[in-house]
Structure formats: structure tokens, C-alpha cells
Amino acid sequence: MRSLFWRIFASFWLAIALVAGLSMLLGRMLNQDAWLLSQHPGMGDLAETWSQRYETQGPQAAQRLLEQRKRMFRIDVQVLDDSGQALVKGTFSPRAAAFEARHRNEKRLPWRRLSVDYTSTHSGETYLFIYRIPLPEVAAWQRDSLLWPLSALGIAMLVLTLFSLWLTLSITRPLNRLRGAVHDLGQTTYQQNSLARLAKRRDELGVLAADFNRMGERVQGLISSQRQLLRDVSHELRSPLTRLRVALALTERADAVEREKYWPRLSQECDRLEALISEILALARLDAEPGAAQPINLGELLHKLQEDARLDAPQQSIKIQLESHLQLNGWADMLQRALENLLRNALRFNPAGEPIELTASKTAGLLRLSVRDHGPGVTPEQLARLGEPFYRAPGQTSSGHGLGLAIARRAAERHGGQLELRNHAQGGFVATLYLPLNQDNQTPAST
């Protein structure tokens, strides 16, 4: 991952290093004699040229070279040997020498005094060169010689500015996209592909965009499901309320004897309405925070479901197949409600004499809870819509509101799993919950 932290850290580190390096370079240029001695055109090669001419052509030729340099660059030069004696007359006047002798503080002199030792490559003799440059000449040369370093500084600042601009845009542009996505999410107009390009980045902003995409998808899904639920609830509540209104209107017009005939119908419609509201509330509670997960005793839960089913449908038999030592953390009430709905659907369609199979096993690291009946199954078109709130397959005569499978699906999702609905290859219908297991155990047991 190309970390944004390291990108910012390296950028600031390089910027500081660049500024520090240029500062040291300018400091050397302005304050050290070595820079002046090596770069000034009047002194850069004077020591070597003078020593060659002195050793090959004599003192007079060497003196003429010093006078020529003074005329060209206004530099006074003295050359001394190892004993401190002047080898040539030089260009420094006695009057100026007397003035310098009286003013030991170089800061008060009208010239800059520099000295350097040079050893001849031909004779091996060492010469001491003493240069005296008027301060106006030093200032003029420094102004001219600063063109290159100032140009380098300008180029460096331009590069640093462009780099800083790139770094700033690489941070602010993604943040602006995220801000726009947050605004769209607040207006419920968020598009899941709005941050697709940003999510491909391999840094912290890319990870944030990917997480935001998942959050936006989840929020949009919840909003859509809530809107659909409200539409379905309003539709489903309208029918029993209409029947209650009709029954009440008929009761008001009837006499005392006929009213007694309508009370059971009114009571039945109220019971249906109460059952519908209970199922709607059960579905809504699955979206609320259920608290901390707790260990679930699967054996106890399945046998309780078996006993309850025997009371509701004594003519039906339920066969439990349970692998031992399966450990699941979750919410027992939520899981029991889901399995009750699956089992209730199986009891509606399972023919008498055929057992309903309730199985708990481990497969691919998941807990598999399946309920199989031996009924007629469903058509592929109906299978695609099963699990939608308030959807009921055509042809059903039993009571119900189409929320059982929706509750089971939502319970599976709250446990981090899923609900699978399919027709069995040998006939019948199978509803299976796949839930994450806490421990790999797979010793079979059946009752």
C-alpha cells in the first residue's frame, strides 16, 4: 500500500532537505573565501599561471602578469616565499600597506584581504598569494555570480511549488469527492459508482472510499427496504381495516340478534390485525441493536422447536439430525423465531406420514441449519421472490402475511449468514440458514 502518511512525510522531508541544502550553498557562496578564490575570474587560475611564468620566464614576466590582472579586475596581489619575503614587487602600494598596518581590524579596511598557499607542480616550491579586492568590486562580483545559484533556487522553488500543489490536490480532490458523496447520501441521491475510481487507490483514501461505498450501499439498501416496507405495511393493513369498517357498519344497522353474528367476525379481524402488527414489529426489531451475542445451546433450541411443533401439529413428525459440539454465538430469541417460521412453513405443506427433517451440521466452516419438507415445492418464478416481505406464493389457503421467510432472512443476516431457499432434488422444499461457527466440531447425533 502506498501510504498517504509516508507520502506526506517524504514530501516534507525532501522539501526541508532541499531548502537546507540551498541555504548552506548560499552561505558558502556569500561567506567563505574559498568560493571567492575558486570562482572569481581574476583569482581562479592566477596562482598556477603566475608560478609557471615566474619559474620559466622570470620575475619581470611574473610582475607584468600581476599588473595585467590589476588593470582587468582591480585586484592587488603580493607573492611571498616560505620565509615571508616578496618574490616580486607586486601591485600593492606601500601607502596602502601602511594603511593596512595601522588598521588591524579587517572589517574597517576598504578592501577584502584573502590569502592562499600554492605549491608548484613543476618545482615543488610553495608560494603565499595575498589578494586585496576593493569591497565595491566584491559586491559587484557577488551580484553577478549569484545568477546561477539564484536561478537554481528559483527552479528548486518552482519544482517544490509544483510538487506541493500535486500533493495538495492529491489530498483535497479525494476529500472533495468524499464530501460530495456524503452530501448525496444525506439527500438520498447517492450513486454507488460515484467513488468507484477513488476506491481503486491503494492508500488510506482509497480504503476510506471503499468503506464509504459499502456504507452507502448498506444505507441505501436500508432506506429502500424501509420505504418498501412502509408501502407494503400500508397495503397489508388496509385490507383488515376495511373489513373491520364494513363489519362495524353492518353491526350499526343490525338489530341486537344480528349483532351477535358479527362479533366473532370482528374478533377474528382484530386477531388478524394484531398478528400482522406483531410480525411487522418482529421484522422491525431485527434492524435494532440486539445487544451482545451469547452462546446458543443448539440442541436445547432444536428440541424445544420439536416439542412446540408437536403441540401445533400432532399429526406431523419432526426428525432432528444434530452434530454434537457445535458452538454458535448469537441471539437465541432471534434464531428461534427464524426457525419457527421455517418450520411453520414446512408444516403447512408437508404431507402426513412424511417426517420433516430439521438438520444442524457443519459445512465449509459454517453452521448449516436446514428445514426440509416433502411437499410440492415451488416454481422457479415463485422461488425468486420468496423471502420478500408480504409476498405469498399463489394458491395458499392457510393464514399468513408473507413475513415469515423475510424474518428468517433478516435473522440470518444479523448473525452474519444467509438464507438459502431451494427445491430438493428428491422432492419437497428446503430452507437453509448458513451461519458462521465459533469452533470446528462435527460429531453427528440424531433423534
Side-chain angles (χ1 to χ4, degrees):
M1 177 185 294
R2 291 176 295 189
S3 174
L4 192 63
F5 169 81
W6 290 112
R7 187 185 304 176
I8 297 175
F9 176 82
S11 302
F12 281 107
W13 189 90
L14 289 175
I16 294 173
L18 181 61
V19 172
L22 290 173
S23 300
M24 290 188 293
L25 177 61
L26 289 175
R28 288 177 60 88
M29 292 169 48
L30 296 175
N31 300 320
Q32 292 194 4
D33 292 346
W35 176 265
L36 186 60
L37 290 170
S38 61
Q39 299 298 323
H40 194 284
M43 296 182 291
D45 61 342
L46 179 60
E48 181 181 1
T49 304
W50 185 91
S51 62
Q52 291 179 359
R53 185 168 298 187
Y54 177 79
E55 293 172 355
T56 58
Q57 301 179 20
Q60 293 182 355
Q63 177 66 22
R64 287 196 298 271
L65 176 63
L66 297 181
E67 293 173 353
Q68 180 184 6
R69 289 295 177 99
K70 181 175 182 178
R71 288 193 299 270
M72 295 176 59
F73 303 105
R74 299 184 61 189
I75 299 176
D76 289 306
V77 184
Q78 279 185 306
V79 184
L80 308 178
D81 59 13
D82 290 337
S83 61
Q85 299 296 321
L87 299 175
V88 293
K89 179 182 178 182
T91 60
F92 195 55
S93 65
R95 181 180 177 182
F99 179 82
E100 185 178 90
R102 290 194 302 269
H103 298 81
R104 297 295 183 182
N105 189 357
E106 293 187 1
K107 294 182 179 180
R108 301 181 60 183
L109 295 175
W111 53 76
R112 186 164 179 177
R113 187 175 184 272
L114 303 96
S115 60
V116 61
D117 286 330
Y118 178 77
T119 301
S120 175
T121 57
H122 294 85
S123 63
E125 294 291 334
T126 300
Y127 306 102
L128 176 62
F129 288 82
I130 301 175
Y131 303 98
R132 295 175 177 86
I133 310 175
L135 294 180
E137 293 295 326
V138 175
W141 175 83
Q142 285 180 341
R143 287 193 298 270
D144 296 337
S145 63
L146 284 178
L147 178 62
W148 177 84
L150 289 178
S151 300
L153 180 61
I155 295 174
M157 295 301 295
L158 177 62
V159 172
L160 188 60
T161 301
L162 293 177
F163 188 79
S164 300
L165 178 63
W166 170 81
L167 180 62
T168 303
L169 291 177
S170 68
I171 297 175
T172 56
R173 281 182 176 177
L175 290 179
N176 287 332
R177 293 178 188 172
L178 286 171
R179 181 180 60 83
V182 171
H183 178 269
D184 293 342
L185 186 61
Q187 300 296 325
T188 66
T189 59
Y190 176 73
Q191 300 294 327
Q192 295 179 10
N193 58 353
S194 61
L195 296 178
R197 183 178 178 183
L198 180 58
K200 295 179 180 179
R201 291 178 51 143
R202 293 179 295 174
D203 56 15
E204 289 85 350
L205 290 174
V207 174
L208 178 60
D211 291 341
F212 190 89
N213 264 341
R214 286 191 289 270
M215 181 194 71
E217 181 180 359
R218 173 64 176 166
V219 171
Q220 290 290 90
L222 289 174
I223 293 174
S224 299
S225 64
Q226 291 295 330
R227 288 176 176 174
Q228 183 63 37
L229 180 62
L230 287 175
R231 288 192 292 267
D232 294 339
V233 167
S234 63
H235 173 75
E236 292 295 325
L237 289 177
R238 190 176 294 115
S239 297
L241 288 175
T242 301
R243 290 194 295 267
L244 280 174
R245 246 188 231 105
V246 172
L248 287 173
L250 293 174
T251 303
E252 290 176 356
R253 298 174 185 176
D255 54 25
V257 177
E258 290 181 349
R259 286 177 186 174
E260 294 295 330
K261 300 178 182 179
Y262 291 108
W263 290 125
R265 183 176 178 181
L266 289 172
S267 178
Q268 182 182 7
E269 294 299 333
C270 290
D271 291 340
R272 289 179 180 176
L273 187 60
E274 182 180 1
L276 175 59
I277 294 174
S278 297
E279 290 192 2
I280 293 173
L281 290 176
L283 182 62
R285 288 191 189 100
L286 293 177
D287 290 328
E289 178 59 40
Q294 300 293 332
I296 298 176
N297 189 327
L298 291 175
E300 180 181 342
L301 177 62
L302 296 183
H303 285 90
K304 185 178 185 303
L305 291 172
Q306 184 185 44
E307 294 298 325
D308 293 341
R310 286 175 179 171
L311 295 176
D312 295 336
Q315 73 280 6
Q316 298 281 5
S317 63
I318 299 176
K319 182 181 179 180
I320 297 178
Q321 294 180 341
L322 172 64
E323 293 184 2
S324 61
H325 305 294
L326 293 175
Q327 295 186 3
L328 174 69
N329 280 345
W331 300 273
D333 294 341
M334 189 185 302
L335 185 59
Q336 180 178 346
R337 184 64 180 266
L339 291 174
E340 281 179 352
N341 289 323
L342 298 181
L343 195 56
R344 188 178 299 115
N345 284 337
L347 291 172
R348 289 175 183 171
F349 302 103
N350 189 65
E354 293 288 347
I356 296 175
E357 299 174 8
L358 183 56
T359 305
S361 60
K362 172 184 173 293
T363 175
L366 297 174
L367 172 63
R368 179 177 176 270
L369 294 171
S370 65
V371 179
R372 181 201 172 186
D373 62 54
H374 294 80
V378 296
T379 64
E381 294 78 11
Q382 297 171 359
L383 188 62
R385 295 198 59 189
L386 287 181
E388 296 180 5
F390 302 105
Y391 175 77
R392 300 188 70 200
Q396 296 190 38
T397 58
S398 58
S399 61
H401 304 96
L403 290 175
L405 292 179
I407 291 174
R409 185 184 299 277
R410 195 72 58 85
E413 292 173 351
R414 292 309 303 265
H415 282 83
Q418 61 180 352
L419 171 65
E420 180 187 84
L421 304 174
R422 61 183 177 87
N423 291 316
H424 198 276
Q426 298 177 357
F429 186 76
V430 182
T432 305
L433 295 173
Y434 290 97
L435 308 177
L437 263 177
N438 300 101
Q439 186 173 344
D440 297 338
N441 295 291
Q442 44 189 356
T443 304
S446 62
T447 59

